[in-house]
Amino acid sequence: MTTTTNEGQGRVLAALSDALGADRIATDAEVLARHRQDWSGEPGETPAAVIRPRNAEEVSSFLRLCHEHSQPVAVQGGLTGLCGAACVKPGELALSLSRLNAIDIADGAMIVGAGVTVEEAQKAARDAGFELGIDFGARGTATIGGAIGTNAGGLHVIESGMTRAQVLGLEVVLADGRVISELTPMVKVNTGFDLKHLFIGSEGTLSVVTRACLALRPLREGLSMAVIALAAEDALVPVLTAAKRTFGPDLSAFEAMWPEFVHTMRARTHFTMPIDGPLLAIIEVRDGTNEGAQRKMEALLSAEMERGTVADGIIAQSHSQARSLWAMRDEGPATYHQVFADNIGFDVSVPLSRMVEAVHKIAAHTRSRAGFHPMFYGHIGDQNLHVVVGADEKFTKAQSDAIKDSVYEPVVALGGTISAEHGI
């Protein structure tokens, strides 16, 4: 992407001020500093300005002017990405979509601005008697536009599918300012190419998402959540299979946490986990009532303990206790940069039948190095494994390269993929 001179960028900003108004352009130091980089930790430059439009028409005017002046742009949502896509490169202006925050619900669907956070969209859906099938730990900061741009996964992919599965229609702005708007709430539309699937997951390379029409479903009030200790690692597939058979489409989450992750989080953070085992799993089931969900969960755990695949388990007795049990898995990863001098995170997919083998192969390479702390956890119900290697000191480039090889080589050899949901 071609960078502009300071003089050329000044002309662009002047034209933008005339077209959008000065209040759409932020240049104070505090705002600029916040928009340098995302959660990835990749280095970012301080932008000359942060542009904050309020609708697709203003995004269109901005991109058209940038296109005419060959002005590069960094598109930013909630800045929670883990691949550096929102980090500002030299000469770029930052385009923040935070003010695209309108929400409208009708016909069992939600039309939502790209700047709405996932948590805000979830709350609006619940208040209207619906559920939104998008959820992940960064829900309070991550935006709908970013979720669509990266085709984010998260905690409920086993039940709802990736973000792509929730999108009925999109409004996007192309790099030259042209607007494509297909905000249909219809599930069945066969009038030509379904262009939305070209833009979902394109990570900002093809367009800027400004609004989306998302599918909703009726709210289920009942929920049961349990943490179980498997008797052995090789019980993972049998227990997951039993959960799918017992709960069917009401199985909303199946997460796994290996001891390396649990013990490291216990030792270095305030998070707690009341049980131990060769492998811990978090299971969540939905139902029309809490009582119905609890009965299903109790039946599963009783059967699996009798079968010898589950050694111990805790069923949350309230929503607040469920949130407490979720905390380590849900919020723990956000603490890596606080508890380690350095860390490298990976987001891979591995065939379920090879998952345990992948963990052992990766651990064998990384655990042998003093001061390295490999951890494994993830959305095992949809074959997504997260690997994080923390370090007591900063990685050298040679160490970083070696760790990447130790993760990617066995993943590829076992038939997996190097990016499941975080993007490239």
Side-chain angles (χ1 to χ4, degrees):
M1 190 176 280
T2 304
T3 58
T4 61
T5 64
N6 289 338
E7 182 181 350
Q9 196 171 71
R11 287 196 297 270
V12 173
L13 289 173
L16 286 171
S17 182
D18 290 340
L20 303 179
D23 66 322
R24 304 298 198 264
I25 303 172
T27 56
D28 56 284
E30 184 179 345
V31 173
L32 299 184
R34 284 203 308 269
H35 287 268
R36 290 183 58 182
Q37 60 195 138
D38 57 24
W39 277 12
S40 68
E42 295 290 328
E45 298 285 329
T46 300
V50 177
I51 315 303
R52 298 186 289 192
R54 292 187 179 277
N55 52 50
E57 291 73 22
E58 292 184 359
V59 175
S60 173
S61 296
F62 169 70
L63 291 180
R64 177 177 51 77
L65 285 167
C66 289
H67 182 71
E68 291 171 355
H69 290 82
S70 298
Q71 168 64 53
V73 175
V75 184
Q76 298 181 338
L79 298 172
T80 59
L82 296 172
C83 296
C87 295
V88 177
K89 296 180 177 59
E92 290 183 339
L93 296 176
L95 171 60
S96 170
L97 303 175
S98 59
R99 291 181 172 178
L100 279 68
N101 55 11
I103 300 175
D104 182 51
I105 298 177
D107 297 323
M110 165 186 285
I111 294 181
V112 57
V116 173
T117 67
V118 171
E119 189 170 62
E120 289 168 341
Q122 290 174 333
K123 183 179 184 304
R126 283 197 303 270
D127 289 347
F130 294 98
E131 296 174 7
L132 176 65
I134 301 173
D135 190 29
F136 33 84
R139 64 184 70 84
T141 310
T143 60
I144 292 296
I148 292 169
T150 58
N151 189 30
L155 303 174
H156 299 308
V157 171
I158 189 173
E159 175 189 35
S160 303
M162 302 284 278
T163 294
R164 181 186 303 277
Q166 322 307 318
V167 178
L168 297 173
L170 284 181
E171 175 186 78
V172 304
V173 182
L174 305 184
D176 61 2
R178 285 178 293 171
V179 178
I180 297 176
S181 184
E182 296 182 351
L183 288 171
T184 175
M186 305 298 179
V187 175
K188 291 185 174 181
V189 179
N190 275 315
T191 55
F193 292 109
D194 196 350
L195 293 177
K196 65 176 179 286
H197 291 297
L198 186 64
F199 301 119
I200 299 168
S202 63
E203 302 186 42
T205 59
L206 299 178
S207 71
V208 173
V209 174
T210 51
R211 284 192 296 170
C213 184
L214 304 177
L216 301 175
R217 60 187 172 203
L219 179 65
R220 294 163 296 172
E221 296 289 354
L223 180 145
S224 181
M225 178 268 190
V227 179
I228 62 173
L230 302 186
E233 281 182 290
D234 60 11
L236 177 62
V237 176
V239 172
L240 173 57
T241 301
K244 288 180 174 179
R245 183 173 58 246
T246 302
F247 303 141
D250 290 328
L251 177 62
S252 58
F254 191 101
E255 302 279 315
M257 300 180 290
W258 270 261
E260 294 92 343
F261 173 80
V262 175
H263 296 161
T264 301
M265 288 295 101
R266 273 182 178 149
R268 293 174 176 253
T269 73
H270 64 279
F271 298 113
T272 60
M273 184 56 64
I275 61 176
D276 265 316
L279 184 60
L280 300 187
I282 294 175
I283 305 177
E284 187 179 273
V285 60
R286 304 300 301 270
D287 191 82
T289 65
N290 286 329
E291 293 77 11
Q294 290 287 80
R295 282 196 298 271
K296 291 178 181 178
M297 186 68 77
E298 290 167 0
L300 173 72
L301 266 59
S302 176
E304 292 307 302
M305 285 181 172
E306 186 174 339
R307 194 155 66 121
T309 57
V310 172
D312 196 4
I314 297 173
I315 299 177
Q317 298 303 306
S318 65
H319 285 210
S320 61
Q321 188 181 12
R323 286 193 296 271
S324 175
L325 290 171
W326 264 111
M328 179 186 289
R329 165 62 188 91
D330 212 10
E331 303 172 32
T335 67
Y336 297 153
H337 66 285
Q338 299 169 2
V339 301
F340 296 115
D342 206 353
N343 72 88
I344 302 177
F346 302 87
D347 164 54
V348 299
S349 280
V350 182
L352 190 59
S353 61
R354 314 298 294 274
M355 188 71 71
V356 172
E357 183 181 356
V359 168
H360 281 264
K361 286 182 179 294
I362 294 169
H365 287 90
T366 54
R367 196 182 288 130
S368 61
R369 295 176 170 86
F372 287 8
H373 307 278
M375 298 179 291
F376 306 89
Y377 63 98
H379 319 297
I380 305 305
D382 52 58
Q383 304 175 329
N384 181 192
L385 177 69
H386 293 313
V387 182
V388 174
V389 180
D392 296 332
E393 298 179 358
K394 285 286 186 181
F395 291 117
T396 65
K397 185 179 185 307
Q399 289 173 328
S400 175
D401 290 344
I403 289 171
K404 291 174 183 177
D405 288 342
S406 72
V407 174
Y408 290 140
E409 287 178 2
V411 165
V412 173
L414 294 172
T417 178
I418 64 170
S419 179
E421 61 178 356
H422 288 175
I424 301 296

